Amino acid sequence: MAERYPRILVIDDELGIREGCRRVLTPLGYAVEVAENGAEGLRKVREWNPDLVLLDVMMPDITGIDLLEPIHAHDPDIVCIIITGYATVELAVQAVKRGAYDFISKPFSADALILAVHQGLERRRLVLESKRMQALEAQARELARAKEELERLDKMKSAFMLTVAHELRAPVAAIQGYLRLILDGYADPAKQREMLERSDQRASELLALIEDLLALARVKDAAPQDKRVPVPVGDVLKQVADLLQVEAAKKRIAFSVHADANPTVLATRDHIRQLWTNLISNAIRYTPEGGSVSVSLAVRGDKVEGAVEDTGIGISQEDLPHIFDEFYRTRTAKEMVSGGTGLGLPIVKRIVETYGGNIGVESEVGKGSRFTFTLPLYTEPQPEKALDAAGQADAAAS
């Protein structure tokens, strides 16, 4: 593409000035346009996009100084040079304050005109080059930031895959080890049933891990808006609580549920079920026999608030920042319960954040934990009430 010639627009009500500027500047390779008044000049600025404007200070319809603002509103980098027959210090100060680059006094020589134009166009070139460099630097910074983010995500992905592989390998290796002992005839017949029971236990752990991984993947692939429906949170809580009541009773844990209301949220029923199940089952799992677990549900303004509180092992201040990390389990939790995927709380956090909520935790080692979450309350849109026949008649009568 051929390089565009610098464009110069001359706005002056004197024909001699307009044509004189054209004769001087055109042979130098400039594209020159002229306008005889402010209105025509402003129209050509917007249509032609000049690089530099030679602008008469006194015209019948408007002053050149008053044209500076609309010209720079179109392109702040257009260089404007005022042409005046009344060169004073006050005028120069006023012109510069309003955005003029320079001014030349009538009558002026061809050399003076050429010098002013050359300097003005050089200034525009430097300004545009500076902006281009700034844009390139900003783009470079953005690319560097995106590169760092991709590298971080790639490292997270690699770490996640390694952790998954490790977590899957352990139970599979244990099951395979027991089966080979039996198949190769090294296992005492009296201990074969024990080995099979252990294999069954590890297989159950493996299935639990796979189920949690699938649940985490489904939560990360958040339900689109058209798949979300009004879900009564209290009804889901009752169903989950009825199932987990048996588990609590086995450990002689006092289990209570307090629901002030049955609020509705816009979500998927499966996600709300997973939310309650993970929080409540964790509380029961990590609460010693004879302890207590209490669950509450309430409405606070435009939020649904749920809470699960236990008298379990608690979480140290050092561990609290990491409990929502995938596969993270505290040392105390591992000592108390050998099985566990470390995915329950990450799933909970992802569900809550998917629907615009928040989750928090308060805990003290040896005294228990309290998990709270909030979700936006959903209210059914109220249809506009149509006036019945009587209402219409009343309205007409009034």
Side-chain angles (χ1 to χ4, degrees), residues 170-182 191-207:
V172 171
I175 294 170
Q176 187 180 50
Y178 288 130
L179 292 177
R180 282 181 176 175
L181 286 173
I182 295 172
K191 293 185 177 182
Q192 286 186 11
R193 180 173 180 81
E194 179 184 351
M195 291 182 176
L196 291 173
E197 288 175 348
R198 289 181 180 176
S199 296
D200 181 67
Q201 180 182 355
R202 298 311 297 270
S204 297
E205 294 173 4
L206 182 60
L207 284 174

Side-chain angles (χ1 to χ4, degrees), residues 77-91:
D77 299 320
I78 290 179
V79 174
C80 293
I81 298 176
I82 295 293
I83 302 173
T84 178
Y86 310 95
T88 64
V89 174
E90 291 78 8
L91 179 63

Side-chain angles (χ1 to χ4, degrees), residues 20-32:
C21 291
R22 191 202 298 269
R23 285 195 302 271
V24 170
L25 297 174
T26 300
L28 298 178
Y30 299 127
V32 181

Side-chain angles (χ1 to χ4, degrees), residues 60-123:
D61 58 341
I62 190 171
T63 70
I65 292 178
D66 289 334
L67 268 180
L68 291 171
E69 184 175 349
I71 288 174
H72 285 143
H74 173 74
D75 180 353
D77 299 320
I78 290 179
V79 174
C80 293
I81 298 176
I82 295 293
I83 302 173
T84 178
Y86 310 95
T88 64
V89 174
E90 291 78 8
L91 179 63
V93 171
Q94 184 184 7
V96 170
K97 283 184 177 179
R98 299 284 290 273
Y101 167 69
D102 196 0
F103 72 95
I104 54 178
S105 302
K106 299 178 182 178
F108 49 83
S109 66
D111 290 341
L113 174 64
I114 293 169
L115 178 61
V117 168
H118 280 176
Q119 290 177 340
L121 290 174
E122 179 64 12
R123 178 184 183 275

Side-chain angles (χ1 to χ4, degrees), residues 131-141:
K131 286 190 173 184
R132 188 181 72 84
M133 294 302 296
Q134 290 174 5
L136 288 174
E137 289 172 1
Q139 186 180 28
R141 288 194 298 271

